[in-house]
Structure formats: C-alpha cells, structure tokens
Amino acid sequence: MERMEWIAPCHFGLESVLKREIQDLGYEIAQVEDGRVTFYGGADAACRANVFLRTAERVLLKAGSFKAVTFDELFEKTKAIPWENYIPKNGKFWVAKASSVKSKLFSPSDIQSIMKKAMVDRLRSRYHVQWFQEDGASYPLRVFLMKDIVTIGIDTSGDSLHKRGYRPSAGKAPISETLAAALIMLTPWRKERILVDPFCGSGTFPIEAAMMAANIAPGMNRSFTAESWANLIDKKLWYEAIDEANDLIDDQIETDIQGYDIDGDVVRMARQNAENAGVDHLIHFQERPVSALSHPKKYGFIITNPPYGERLEEKEALPGLYREFGESFRKLDSWSAYMITSYEDAERYFGRKADKNRKIYNGMLKTYFYQFQGPKPPRPKK
C-alpha cells in the first residue's frame, strides 16, 4: 500500500498526547510541531485515524510543503504540486482555511484566492478543459503558513473530529470532546478507578471517560468527507475500520464514573448526551452542588472544568465557588484533582498551590490545567 503523509491538528500544548495515540495505532511519526502531528501511513490511515483518534481535530492528507515569501512564489509552487493525483476531473476543490504565523504572506483571503487559481491552472492543463463543473466529491484544503513555510493538507474529516455526534446541544462554556479526552489522557486515571466531575455541564468529561473505558471509538457513529474519495481510498477500508472498532467495544464493564451539576436541566441534558453516546449505563449523573461533593472510597480522581466567570455577575461568585470546591476536595484526603480553568485566582481560592500546571489554549482562551495530586493508591493484591 502506498505510503502517504498525514497531518493531524490538535490543541496547542497537547501534541504529546496525540503523538502517543497515533503511535498506538501503529503509524510512524514524521514530525511534531505546535498544534499538529504529521505521520506516515497508507490509505487506511485516513479511515483508522478518523475513527479512532480521540484528541485530533481532523485528519489531512499532506499535498505539499514549500517556502514562499511572495504571492508569485506561492502561485508557482502551488501550481507545481501534482493536483491531478489527488483531485479528479469533477472534484470540488477550494481552500477552506488559511492561517499565517510569522510569515510575509499573511492575508488569508489572498492566500486562498491565489492558491485556487494556481490549482485551476494546473488542472486545466492536465485535464484539457477550460471549465470545471465541480459536481463530484469534495476536496477542501487547509493551509498553514509558519515562518514562510507553506504546508497544504486536503481535509479528509469534514466536520471537526470533536463532533462525535452525541452532543447536539451543550451547556454554558462547554469544553470540546477532543480537549476533554486529551486532558483525561494526561492524568493517571484508568477505567478501573473512580472518576468524579463536580461541574459536569453537558457531561463531556464523564462521557469521554466512559467511552475510553468501554473502548468505544469516537468516530464510529459519524461520516467523513473522504468517504466519497473513490480515486484515493477504497470504500472497503472504511468498512474495515468500523468493523475493527466494533470488535473492540466492551461496554459490559463495571465503572464508577460520576457527574454532578447544580443545574437540574443541565444534568438531564448530560444524561441524554450519555445515552446518545451509548454509555449512559456506565455513568451516574446527579443534581448536586460542589459543596456536597463526597465519595465513600479512599482513592479517586476529580477531572473537571469549573466556571471561568466570563460575565461580570458570574465572576463575583467565583471566589466562593472555588473555595467550596477546595474545602470539599480536602475532605477527600487521598484523592487527586485535575481542573482546567482560565480563572487567575483558582489556586488562591481553592486553598492549595497546584503540584503541576500546564498552559493550554482552548480556542483563543488561555487556560491552565492544574494538577493537585494525592498519594498513589496501593497496587491490587495478586
């Protein structure tokens, strides 16, 4: 099978988690950069990566990379790429997104327009036509410019991979599914251990944890743009990826995953989302304030996304809320807590300095993932 290069973008600061996921799928890493991981694989890699990766935002087929500091250079080097190897005569193609960082070419709209013209020029000469109907499969491009290096990927995913299909609606300030999965993977939590989210909102942390516990692939219940790429990816490879995912599911396991929220409507929505994901039987949701956070077992994990206080009236309530959270956590004397928040005084009101913190960009919002570690639980006796 022909070896291709694939690009998987992710949240800034979480590249190491995605790299490990890709290696676990059996693919060779080509490069790790800020916000993306490039890897090698055959056509099956597009199918398996889209279906199995929990922390990637999308999967792109790398079409080319080159240096360009003028628009003439961008045009000529884009035109030099063998687009006929990727896009059929009736294919629909466009530059869906262009981003530029520390580069002389910085206007996304100009980059998009010039690259489209260059592709049309190339394909006209190869297909000997003056006009493209573009009524076939879609081949949307995503372009990254970093320090004048242009990297071009053809998007195999379509909708971002955080759209698993189980969360049609979300509460206030939701955390994305891909970010939640990556943060869980940064902790030592495993499926046989207790997990509680006292600010569960639409249920993303508990649901992603339950899907991991049951080995449910995140992309097995949605569609992808590249499913219609008959010229590049054999349809049977998609069926094989889904068959593989189905064979790995084990949802008859015992778990202790809990989600609490003070808002009863939000809890009902979280339950519905869990049902949509097929993991409602693995999670206990309850309407409960953080002041009532408790658990009879000695060792466990809290992984949560508390309110940030984006509105002024909410910000005024944050000191009391984080103080209550900290007081409840101290009663769980052998537990570990992990929280992502942009609230600058989180540690102060929580009442304890974090053992570790990690800066992560949640969209344009700079947040910190605080880790308050308890003692390690004893190993189970053999």
Side-chain angles (χ1 to χ4, degrees):
M1 188 175 288
E2 184 188 352
R3 190 165 94 146
M4 309 177 191
E5 260 190 286
W6 305 93
I7 304 168
C10 64
H11 282 272
F12 282 93
L14 296 172
E15 298 84 2
S16 62
V17 184
L18 176 56
K19 176 186 174 183
R20 190 168 69 242
E21 270 204 287
I22 292 168
Q23 288 174 323
D24 287 347
L25 280 180
Y27 298 114
E28 179 190 344
I29 302 297
Q31 190 175 17
V32 179
E33 303 165 89
D34 286 346
R36 65 183 188 263
V37 179
T38 305
F39 62 102
Y40 298 111
D44 67 300
C47 313
R48 296 182 70 237
N50 273 300
V51 170
F52 286 103
L53 292 180
R54 299 183 189 277
T55 63
E57 292 302 306
R58 55 186 67 248
V59 179
L60 312 172
L61 171 56
K62 186 174 177 180
S65 185
F66 52 80
K67 185 175 182 179
V69 294
T70 67
F71 284 121
D72 282 344
E73 200 173 8
L74 178 67
F75 181 92
E76 292 301 333
K77 289 184 176 179
T78 300
K79 185 178 174 181
I81 291 171
W83 293 108
E84 64 277 7
N85 293 349
Y86 303 109
I87 300 168
K89 196 172 184 178
N90 68 338
K92 181 180 180 184
F93 58 98
W94 72 102
V95 181
K97 185 175 182 182
S99 60
S100 176
V101 178
K102 298 178 182 175
S103 298
K104 291 181 178 63
L105 305 179
F106 56 83
S107 165
S109 59
D110 288 337
I111 292 165
Q112 289 168 294
S113 170
I114 285 164
M115 291 185 73
K116 170 77 177 190
K117 285 176 185 170
M119 294 171 71
V120 168
D121 244 32
R122 168 85 187 201
L123 292 174
R124 268 183 190 155
S125 66
R126 292 305 186 272
Y127 290 132
H128 308 292
V129 295
Q130 289 302 307
W131 179 257
F132 292 97
Q133 291 290 341
E134 297 197 48
D135 56 359
S138 293
Y139 297 80
L141 271 66
R142 291 191 165 243
V143 181
F144 313 92
L145 278 77
M146 169 62 79
K147 295 181 180 176
D148 300 323
I149 301 298
V150 183
T151 303
I152 306 167
I154 312 174
D155 184 12
T156 71
S157 303
D159 283 338
S160 171
L161 295 181
H162 82 268
K163 295 185 177 179
R164 319 281 207 221
Y166 67 72
R167 196 176 73 172
S169 57
K172 290 183 289 184
I175 190 167
S176 80
E177 294 86 335
T178 46
L179 179 54
L183 296 178
I184 293 169
M185 290 181 185
L186 281 175
T187 77
W189 178 80
R190 299 294 177 266
K191 62 184 177 183
E192 64 277 359
R193 298 181 177 180
I194 300 161
L195 187 152
V196 176
D197 180 357
F199 302 99
C200 75
S202 54
T204 311
F205 273 126
I207 292 169
E208 288 296 317
M211 288 177 71
M212 289 179 198
N215 222 0
I216 297 172
M220 62 186 301
N221 292 313
R222 52 160 287 173
S223 59
F224 306 99
T225 294
E227 287 180 59
S228 58
W229 292 4
N231 61 319
L232 292 173
I233 303 172
D234 195 312
K235 194 76 175 173
K236 74 172 186 178
L237 295 176
W238 292 101
Y239 294 129
E240 286 172 1
I242 295 298
D243 286 345
E244 181 186 356
N246 273 312
D247 289 344
L248 292 171
I249 293 173
D250 179 13
D251 64 353
Q252 299 305 307
I253 54 170
E254 299 253 340
T255 59
D256 191 343
I257 300 172
Q258 302 183 28
Y260 308 142
D261 202 282
I262 198 169
D263 186 332
D265 289 338
V266 166
V267 171
R268 282 186 283 278
M269 179 175 61
R271 283 197 189 105
Q272 182 59 57
N273 291 340
E275 187 178 328
N276 295 343
V279 293
D280 50 310
H281 62 296
L282 300 176
I283 307 170
H284 172 68
F285 287 108
Q286 189 177 351
E287 183 180 342
R288 185 193 286 197
V290 70
S291 58
L293 171 63
S294 64
H295 198 285
K297 295 288 179 68
K298 186 171 183 181
Y299 297 99
F301 290 83
I302 294 167
I303 305 178
T304 193
N305 175 37
Y308 300 169
E310 294 303 296
R311 291 198 293 269
L312 184 61
E313 66 272 20
E314 291 175 345
K315 209 170 188 80
E316 291 169 356
L318 291 186
L321 188 70
Y322 279 78
R323 191 179 289 115
E324 283 183 345
F325 183 20
E327 288 168 357
S328 296
F329 174 65
R330 280 189 288 280
K331 293 171 190 171
L332 299 165
D333 62 349
S334 296
W335 282 50
S336 296
Y338 299 82
M339 68 170 162
I340 180 170
T341 180
S342 66
Y343 183 43
E344 294 173 356
D345 290 324
E347 289 173 295
R348 175 185 169 194
Y349 291 110
F350 189 75
R352 175 179 160 182
K353 188 166 178 59
D355 297 294
K356 291 181 184 176
N357 72 66
R358 188 183 190 113
K359 184 164 67 175
I360 292 165
Y361 281 89
N362 185 5
M364 296 304 292
L365 189 66
K366 184 170 73 175
T367 63
Y368 288 90
F369 188 48
Y370 294 103
Q371 305 178 33
F372 304 93
Q373 292 165 338
K376 289 182 180 178
R379 290 180 180 275
K381 292 177 182 176
K382 290 184 180 179

